[in-house]
């Protein structure tokens, strides 16, 4: 049916952004109509390629020759836009595929975002055509794209009218037109920031946010990528795209919606998005090197600093200003963010003291005092001195209301210095109204008007620098630990008839992945109890062994500190009796007799499968810490030992493990090793396992390891399995 | 010497802001000089009163008749400005006082902010003249004030040149000129926000930030007060000023510097500020109803919403937009802030569904979809419908890039609706370049360009509304608890020779303030032990009793669970032996024999004296929670029971006390009562006591109270006492 393209989905989206020829199905002279506005914008934006309006009712549309049907065109256009009512869209898409079109954009609304079965069905049909034909489709329910680099715009956005649109190196991808084209693109243009390409990709029937981000990662014109996403789609794909971006040192800043329940609800009625746990998303972004922010202006702030591609080598920051108040504010906010206002080198002190007023001090941040407004050249000289200081990683000249000479000194310094620098300019220029923040931003100077925004952007870049440096060398290369017996684990999993694996089965499965295991025997009768109580050294723990009882403590199903065989047999009968009363229907295998592990610091170690990111590993403090303080850390599996150590370091209670309050330091390396093992377990078996809960994991002093005191593994239902 | 004003410090600062006559000592024709710029600005700003340049070398200055000396003026001017070199300032101030001047502003730098002894001494002399004469002085090291209401400006700031300065109802007080006049005043002007008065008061030798805030609280022209402060000065004075502001329902928003160590260091070299604990400041601000923010633009954001004096009655918010993406973003961020996107009333649903496109849904936030851009009148109709909904406290129309008709609909609604409303406008007007956010802000419409900024300002106003409502009625009226025996407490304190009160003395002191006390006997010898062990029911706790041992656990100074007299006598000797080994020099009184309290939830209850705010009471979770998770809550003493309950509610682990995880609910009312009592204890005795530490306070089930298991009271040294 779609002979030309079958089996060859096109992954190089370049012609999508820089076509030689474009057709608009539904093109119109009426600028109140979508098809009229899109065509008009394309012409006005100065597109240099061939434009084919398709409209069976007209000879000409907006002075261009019109064509009655797609297949009456003299060529197969590189990119076809569909601006038709929803009911006519499917036929048009079909026509495109048959004509051999490779790229198609559908603006029309009325599909999955309506939440109706009909809308979803219609969208699925579009998806199917894309899959069968290999034609790539953006939309439906989208507002197109603008390629500033290629003078190509297919969108109804009013953001471009009358604006000074400078092409730049910041790429923008969003589902929403309002956020992507107004909240981000228009606001960036207004500020003077140049954009490479902007995409508002709507419902993502075929091409999604990640496809466009990947294009921009590959695109030489784009250095920083800003993305806003309601429906992340495939978390593993994000990981691959992020990996590619990291290899090219192209930062990605992300605004992901759906932090709150209200947000998730609104998103699902906007684009039909279904998303996983938000704190898992945050953890995954950190892990992949994406910078997460909360609002559109923060995305722009980050791009402001990152687009010059100069990353701080450390957190030693210097600021210089003639406003003492600003020096205090910058010092204060930076200090609370962990900036090191490093002491200047002796030669810097000496040189600064030579030019500073009698009561000024060459501290950092450096307050030149109001003398700097009066003394011509003082600001320039001070900046020049500080720019040579070896102790500084980032320099921030802070301007308020200054003469153009000082503004220019600050801007020139930021523009030319080889080290990262940002200009904070809260006021205006006294003697030149045309010298504005935007006029500097247009020439690629990172200028911020608000202190916190400036420092946060610098901090983001610092963190990105740390991320990139952490990837150098071998230690972040994913490697499978030794002593993993996957087939044994699969056998244990397959053999269990229950949806939840009991403690003993869970223990065997964990053993297959190299977990330590307490000496345990399953006793079915009193004779077993007597025998086993002589084989395992006292004191013992005894637990009810039933496939139907999972919260053993709550049904009186555990006895601790058993010191004699007599106590053991008593406990055996008492456990059976308790279980019978508490859960009369429970199948009872007998009791587990286990060596009693010494007391340690109790952690929980878990694994689960996130809707977006797939297999996840989690470490946290047990009991009240997890439930009340939510003190947990997540990563997408599998992880390497360095990442596992980072997870431990992220815990608010980390210092408890690390020897706070005179307690002995705990065996962090051992726990990290277990995190790695569990991450591989869930990575290998996430099609069968829904959840693993090792609780508590008792952790001992350095060198003494940890013990799994209890574990529970929940298998996926058939339904869950199907949706992976 | 200063006959006219002695003993009559002038507290009504009105003539300071609206003088009839002003003299400038050091006035100059040279606009590069401070005295030239101040005079020039005063003239250009359109001041209508009499201006007297004082300059012995000139007949005229800037075309005004000049005077050789202050006392050659034809009248005593209402306000005198001093713009002289530091060495000449003191003589000029002296001259002012002798001439009967009531208000004086000193611009000159080179005083306490230099950190030199000489600078501090000079400033103290200025302060002394103010005290002796009753003349009020602003500065030194200040950049003056601007009263937009009175066309009066004495400042060198460039912020006013060429700007459209509309008087308004937002008052600004800062120490720093850079932050107050640029970061706040200029940026507000730039946005179109009207200011009533602005003050940059520098080193605060006499008049300080709080004096000017108080003036603005009294000033009918000012509705919202924005303050930036490095050195808060007197926390108790802040409390009084805040109380007055709350009575008049005038919100105060504060940016307090010194959050981080770096900030405190920078502040101390800028204005010589010394500040107390920052988390105590945060707690005090909340307690007093001040809204704390982190940056200048946030102060402006809050004022944007608050200046219309319409406070939300609750947290039910509605938003309406034609951009689905913005609907999701607003929902998401608002949801994470605790906004209730309340369901509309049935009649609202019905009316909205009548006008919405087929696939639109009348959810809240309401997404009219892009249809609203095309259908004229749809946005207006929808807003009108929602404005009548009874379930909504705050309404936020969200605009992107729209036609002027819709922008005006949104703005008119926000301007006229009786309920609080804010406009979020991220884009621009399509068909009228003059219709900008600033043009609307100039007409008092609260317009925000960024989502988070908008929602935070709304949240601030919600919290302020809650604060004001909480003050209605009797329960927040400070009242002294019964059963307090101050003179007994003073006697115990006076009798102790040690800098730290031991457990027994501390217990008696707490008893004097109505604290419960465990049955305790002090045994000096074995005979006492035998006798007492028969008077207190087993089990017992025994502790070493020494004025020199405070961390008893660490020296083996405690024995728990003593069940017989024999065990008690053994414990007695063993405790003495342990203490002798651990602290050979310690004076030993004997041991304390105490009933052993049952296990409860362990809290710490403390009191201290903050450098700024004076007596402070603190509650927190004991041990690891306090040290690692910093889970504590502070208040300035004294507090009422409602505030004590709020403190408990602020603890991250509150749910542990409130019955989480199936645990019994704890006796919160009892603990709140103890917080109140301790707050009175430190309030009454903070001149003698430096610190009280009740740790642990063991809290039992509802109705069963709490027990003080250990307590330590540290007295002030003579030196601390002096600085009170």
């Amino acid at each position: 049916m779609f002979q030309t393209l079958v089996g060859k989905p096109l992954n190089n989206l370049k012609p999508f952004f820089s076509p030689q020829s474009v057709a608009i199905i539904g093109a119109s002279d009426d600028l109140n109509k979508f098809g009229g506005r899109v065509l008009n914008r394309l012409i006005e934006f100065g597109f240099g390629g061939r434009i084919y309006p398709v409209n069976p009712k007209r000879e000409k549309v907006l002075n261009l020759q019109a064509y009655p049907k797609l297949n009456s065109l003299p060529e197969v256009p590189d990119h076809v836009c569909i601006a038709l009512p929803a009911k006519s869209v499917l036929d048009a898409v079909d026509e495109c595929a048959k004509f051999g079109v490779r790229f198609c954009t559908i603006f029309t609304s009325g599909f999955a975002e309506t939440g109706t079965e009909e809308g979803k069905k219609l969208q699925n049909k579009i998806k199917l055509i894309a899959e069968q034909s290999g034609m790539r489709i953006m939309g439906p329910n989208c507002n197109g794209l603008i390629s500033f680099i290629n003078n190509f715009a297919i969108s109804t956005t009013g953001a471009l009218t009358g604006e000074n649109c400078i092409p730049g190196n910041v790429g923008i991808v969003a589902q929403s037109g309002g956020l992507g084209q107004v909240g981000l693109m228009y606001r960036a243009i207004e500020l003077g920031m140049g954009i490479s390409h902007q995409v508002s990709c709507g419902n993502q029937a075929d091409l999604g946010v990640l496809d466009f981000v990947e294009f921009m990662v590959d695109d030489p014109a784009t250095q920083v990528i800003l993305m806003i996403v309601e429906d992340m789609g495939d978390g593993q794909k994000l990981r691959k795209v992020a990996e590619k971006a990291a290899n090219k040192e192209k930062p990605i800043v992300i605004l992901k919606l759906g932090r709150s329940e209200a947000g998730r609800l609104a998103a699902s009625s906007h684009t039909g998005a279904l998303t996983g746990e938000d704190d898992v998303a945050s953890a995954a972004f950190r892990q992949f090197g994406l910078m997460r922010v909360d609002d559109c202006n923060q995305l722009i702030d980050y791009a402001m600093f990152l687009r010059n591609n100069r990353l701080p080598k450390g957190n030693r920051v210097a600021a210089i200003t003639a406003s003492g108040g600003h020096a205090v504010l910058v010092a204060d906010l930076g200090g609370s963010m962990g900036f090191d206002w490093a002491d200047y080198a002796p030669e810097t002190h000496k040189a600064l003291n030579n030019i500073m007023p009698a009561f000024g001090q060459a501290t950092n941040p450096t307050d030149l005092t109001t003398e700097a407004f009066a003394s011509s050249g003082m600001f320039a000289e001070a900046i020049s001195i500080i720019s040579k200081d070896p102790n500084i990683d980032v320099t921030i000249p802070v301007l308020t209301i200054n003469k153009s000479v000082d503004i220019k000194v600050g801007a020139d310094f930021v523009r030319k210095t080889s080290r990262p620098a940002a200009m904070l300019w809260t006021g205006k220029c006294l003697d030149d109204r045309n010298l504005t923040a935007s006029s500097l931003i247009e020439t690629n100077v990172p200028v911020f008007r608000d202190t916190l925004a400036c420092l946060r952007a610098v901090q983001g870049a610092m963190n990105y620098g740390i991320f990139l440096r952490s990837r150098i060398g071998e230690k972040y290369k994913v490697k499978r630990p030794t002593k993993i017996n996957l087939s044994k684990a699969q056998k244990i999993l397959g053999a269990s008839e229950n949806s939840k694996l009991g403690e003993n089965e869970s223990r065997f499965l964990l053993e297959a992945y190299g977990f330590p295991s307490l000496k345990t025997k399953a006793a079915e009768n009193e004779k077993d109890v007597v025998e086993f109580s002589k084989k395992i050294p006292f004191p013992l723990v005894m637990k009810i062994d039933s496939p139907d009882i999972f919260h053993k403590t709550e049904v009186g199903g555990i006895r601790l500190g058993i010191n004699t065989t007599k106590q053991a047999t008593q406990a055996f009968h008492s456990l059976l009796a308790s279980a019978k009363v508490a859960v009369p229907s429970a199948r009872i295998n007998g009791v587990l007799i286990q060596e009693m592990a010494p007391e340690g610091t109790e952690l929980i170690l878990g694994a689960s499968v996130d809707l977006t990111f797939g297999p996840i590993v989690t470490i946290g403090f047990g009991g009240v810490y997890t439930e009340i303080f939510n003190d947990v850390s997540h990563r997408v599996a599998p992880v390497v030992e360095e990442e596992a150590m980072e997870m431990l370091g992220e815990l608010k209670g980390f210092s408890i493990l690390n020897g706070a309050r005179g307690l002995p330091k705990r065996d962090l390396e051992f726990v990290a090793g277990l995190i790695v093992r569990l991450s591989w377990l869930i990575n290998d078996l996430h099609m069968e396992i829904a959840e693993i809960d090792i609780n508590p994991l008792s952790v001992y002093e350095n060198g003494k390891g940890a013990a799994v005191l209890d574990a529970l593994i929940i298998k996926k239902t058939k339904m869950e399995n199907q949706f992976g």
Side-chain angles (χ1 to χ4, degrees), chain A residues 428-474:
Chain A
K428 62 171 178 177
C429 179
L430 258 183
D431 51 351
D432 181 357
R433 300 284 294 186
N434 293 322
L435 183 50
T436 61
S438 289
S439 73
L440 295 174
I441 294 168
E442 281 173 8
T443 62
N444 289 322
V445 182
V447 181
F448 296 87
R449 303 210 60 203
D450 296 308
T451 307
L452 195 54
C454 174
L455 301 184
R456 279 206 184 127
V458 170
Q459 187 187 34
M462 277 177 194
N463 290 340
Y464 187 62
I466 292 170
F467 168 76
L468 287 184
R469 286 192 296 278
S470 78
R471 301 174 76 255
I472 299 168
E474 285 302 302

Side-chain angles (χ1 to χ4, degrees), chain A residues 232-250:
Chain A
M232 186 80 253
D234 180 354
Q236 293 293 339
K237 184 169 176 179
L238 174 68
R239 187 176 201 160
K240 281 188 203 110
V241 172
E243 175 79 20
K244 200 194 254 190
N247 289 337
K248 299 195 175 197
E249 305 202 354
K250 289 194 182 182

Side-chain angles (χ1 to χ4, degrees), chain A residues 170-174 184 209 213 217 223-229 232 238 242 245 250-256 285 288-307 456-457 460-461 464:
Chain A
V170 178
I172 297 174
V173 183
L184 275 187
V209 162
V213 169
V217 169
Q223 172 57 31
V224 183
I225 298 155
L226 308 182
M227 64 188 284
I228 303 180
V229 65
M232 186 80 253
L238 174 68
K250 289 194 182 182
I252 299 173
V253 196
I254 184 169
L255 172 57
K256 157 120 178 20
F285 297 155
F288 303 164
L290 274 65
M291 287 158 265
R292 184 174 192 174
V293 297
D294 294 319
D295 199 358
C296 298
N297 55 333
Q298 295 173 352
L299 286 168
I300 295 174
D301 291 337
Y302 274 59
M304 182 74 75
F305 191 75
L306 290 166
R307 69 191 174 132
R456 279 206 184 127
Y464 187 62

Side-chain angles (χ1 to χ4, degrees), chain A residues 179-210:
Chain A
L179 295 180
Q181 295 177 336
V182 183
L184 275 187
M185 184 183 76
Y186 169 67
R187 293 295 288 279
I189 291 171
E190 190 186 44
L191 274 175
M193 183 185 286
I195 307 298
S196 55
H197 320 276
Q198 192 281 335
V199 174
S200 290
C201 66
N203 285 13
Q204 317 188 100
D206 172 33
L207 287 167
V209 162
L210 292 177

